[in-house]
Amino acid sequence: MKNYTLLCFIILNVFYGFCQESKLNLADKKYDSYAYVDAIKTYERIAQKGYKSEDLYKKLGNSYYFNSDFENSAKWYSELFALNPSPEAEYYYRYAQSLKSTGQWDKADVILNQFNTKYKNDTRARLYKENADYLDRIKANSGRYKIEDAGINSKYSDYGSIIHDNKIYFASARDTGNFSKRKHKWTGEYYTNIYDADIDTLIGEISRVNKIRSEINKRFHESSPVFTNDGNTVYFTRNNFLNGKKGKDANKNTLVKIYKASLENGKWTNIKALPFTSDNYSTGHPALSPDEKILYFASDMPGTIGQSDIYKVSINTDGSFGNPQNLGKEINTEGKETFPYVTSENEIYFASDGHPGLGGLDVFVGQIEADGSISSIENLGGDINSPKDDFAYIIDPVSRKGYFSSNKDGGLGSDDIYQFLETKRLKCMQELSGVITDASTGAILPGTKVTLYDDMQKTKNSGIADSAGRYNFDVECGKNYNIRAEKPDYATKEVNVTIGKTTGKTDLTIPLEKSVCKVMIGDDLGKCFNIKMIYFDLDKSDITTAAALDLEKILDVLNQHPNMKLDIRSHTDSRASHQYNQALSDRRAKSTIEWLIKNGAAKNRLSGKGYGETELVNNCSDNVECSETEHQMNRRSEFIITGL
């Protein structure tokens, strides 16, 4: 690809609270009064007192993790691992992600290695350890195109096509002029100019090629035009030459710049180099985002990672430009990245010799994320790519037709343009959908915020559940995702899902649990914290460490709601004598009250007694055979609200 090399690399390598407390309705009866209990804040205050609980640390870690406060999530997950070195798989992953986000890479690697050892079948663990052979990936991505000569090639270099207004524009080293045919001494070919040809959309054929007769084509190289949708502006690459003068760098070399021209009265005029270009580095191969608010290009400007990187720059409403931004190491390597092209599907196609390929420049595609970063980079496979240079790929995302350039064997000239039809998408896609429900009642929860994350916790998409509580996302087959559901008064929940490897649908219903308890007189406060039983040692009434943890929750709520009053009720099953059960339950109720008073609760706010086996919740009375689970239902502690 002689002239491509000449243009792009002349003497250089170029071109990239929850609820606040509700006000009471004074017109309501006192039995209709409510109190709002912030469970997470209660957990944190208890933890700060020194109480330790696996469930406590999980909930605290999750509450910060879901809010991207990774420093605090790492803190509480660290406490979790200190208490239980082998929690569920999800906590290994969340802890490692939190550590990475706070710069603790070595510690994160330790956790990920443990993750892989313990959960070998987890997709994320396998991806951490395995590096798939890139040749196998390229082979898997092949066989998806029908390719043929574009019908516009010459024996010289032809490359870098773009479609606009039913015309194909491209650079060519052919020279159709009659006089002053200027050849470059390195290649023996003419300097490249921009040409066009009409495309017959009905039969797909291209008419005779024409050289553009305008001020765009001058004495040296021009290539890579891109037009705005209205056709009134064109950006293109040219050697540093304007108004009859060559610009040179400190070494007297003429590099390349991106120029802009305006269409006025049918003629291209007002040609200017873009303001971020320079005599001292190269910029070229412009590409517009579909909304025309961003210009992508290749450059070796200061800050470039490799020989040439892909950059982007914002185009302001007044026509001015922002500051160029390097797209980063996700896409740019120490090699060459060049010829960007962006589609309406937020895909960026580009050529690179730094990513694993078949040789020379290969064409790759990546996904542009919501934050502008690039992910999911894939080699397009062995149909497009070859051991030679393959580049300047463009595609219509609807028809899946397009063009690319290559100097692969079998062409007419040093570089040729090929047209193609993509017969099979590179990405296998599925629809991930489901309904958000209340975990207790099964009621649908419209208006829930639902966010889709990849397995590296990068946001992929987000939305709001519709009136039927339903959400849906387009996802890639075989990938691992996290779905996070958030709704006021409910605990945020994140669910991991692995998508199947074939096209189809994946259904994932997400039930949410209440995080803010709405309680009224007569309710059991213990249900807010899933306290079914204040546990005592066998046949004793001393408060154990586990019981103290649960009572701290009750005490914290009493402190937050000074008008709340409780009746503490202790119940047993029927498997001892009635007299014994009555006495034991009464001692336990009194011990519970004494502990609360000793730790700060006012005596006049508490009452209680033991009920023994007198209020069974099922039929498990004396001489009735019941399972242990059924007996357990009768062994319970209640904290009944008697005043607010």
Side-chain angles (χ1 to χ4, degrees), residues 397-578:
V398 177
S399 69
R400 310 310 295 177
K401 293 180 179 179
Y403 298 86
F404 73 100
S405 304
S406 177
N407 66 348
K408 65 175 68 177
D409 295 338
L412 295 178
S414 52
D415 297 308
D416 289 294
I417 298 171
Y418 295 86
Q419 61 183 357
F420 65 78
L421 170 64
E422 186 185 51
T423 58
K424 179 183 177 183
R425 297 290 295 262
L426 178 61
K427 292 181 181 178
C428 167
M429 303 298 292
Q430 276 206 23
E431 178 186 338
L432 171 62
S433 62
V435 177
I436 311 298
T437 65
D438 184 299
S440 298
T441 67
I444 61 172
L445 298 178
T448 302
K449 180 182 178 182
V450 188
T451 308
L452 176 72
Y453 297 88
D454 65 12
D455 58 2
M456 296 303 292
Q457 210 59 23
K458 287 187 176 181
T459 302
K460 302 293 291 184
N461 208 339
S462 64
I464 303 297
D466 63 19
S467 58
R470 179 166 290 277
Y471 70 91
N472 65 80
F473 297 115
D474 291 329
V475 293
E476 294 183 46
C477 302
K479 291 291 186 72
N480 207 47
Y481 293 93
N482 292 313
I483 302 289
R484 183 180 300 174
E486 303 169 83
K487 189 172 179 64
D489 297 349
Y490 286 85
T492 297
K493 186 172 185 178
E494 187 169 296
V495 181
N496 180 258
V497 59
T498 299
I499 306 302
K501 295 183 178 180
T502 58
T503 302
K505 294 183 178 181
T506 296
D507 185 75
L508 180 66
T509 295
I510 303 177
L512 298 184
E513 295 182 354
K514 289 270 191 179
S515 64
V516 175
C517 298
K518 189 168 67 173
V519 293
M520 59 187 294
I521 292 174
D523 285 345
D524 182 358
L525 180 61
K527 291 182 178 179
C528 275
F529 302 99
N530 198 29
I531 301 173
K532 297 178 181 178
M533 179 72 182
I534 295 297
Y535 288 96
F536 298 84
D537 290 335
L538 183 64
D539 292 335
K540 294 183 179 180
S541 56
D542 297 329
I543 299 297
T544 64
T545 301
L549 174 61
D550 281 336
L551 290 179
E552 277 284 2
K553 302 171 187 176
I554 301 299
L555 180 63
D556 185 82
V557 175
L558 288 171
N559 290 336
Q560 303 306 310
H561 300 276
N563 294 322
M564 182 180 286
K565 294 182 179 181
L566 296 178
D567 185 48
I568 288 88
R569 303 173 183 179
S570 178
H571 302 267
T572 69
D573 61 32
S574 62
R575 289 187 291 184
S577 70
H578 178 85

Side-chain angles (χ1 to χ4, degrees), residues 69-88:
D69 185 347
F70 296 114
E71 184 174 348
N72 275 314
S73 63
K75 168 187 173 182
W76 294 114
Y77 288 146
S78 176
E79 295 290 344
L80 169 64
F81 275 74
L83 195 63
N84 176 12
S86 300
E88 298 91 334

Side-chain angles (χ1 to χ4, degrees), residues 123-134:
T123 302
R124 294 161 296 177
R126 293 202 309 270
L127 289 175
Y128 170 69
K129 270 300 197 185
E130 298 174 1
N131 289 311
D133 185 82
Y134 75 92

Side-chain angles (χ1 to χ4, degrees), residues 27-90:
D28 290 341
K29 296 179 181 179
K30 63 180 180 180
Y31 282 96
D32 294 328
S33 299
Y34 296 103
Y36 290 90
V37 179
D38 187 336
I40 293 299
K41 294 298 183 185
T42 292
Y43 293 144
E44 188 161 30
R45 286 189 288 266
I46 292 170
Q48 289 170 348
K49 285 187 176 182
Y51 285 88
K52 298 181 179 182
S53 161
E54 183 177 344
D55 181 68
L56 189 69
Y57 293 147
K58 286 178 180 178
K59 289 177 177 175
L60 282 170
N62 289 344
S63 68
Y64 285 111
Y65 181 82
F66 294 146
N67 286 290
S68 300
D69 185 347
F70 296 114
E71 184 174 348
N72 275 314
S73 63
K75 168 187 173 182
W76 294 114
Y77 288 146
S78 176
E79 295 290 344
L80 169 64
F81 275 74
L83 195 63
N84 176 12
S86 300
E88 298 91 334
E90 198 61 36

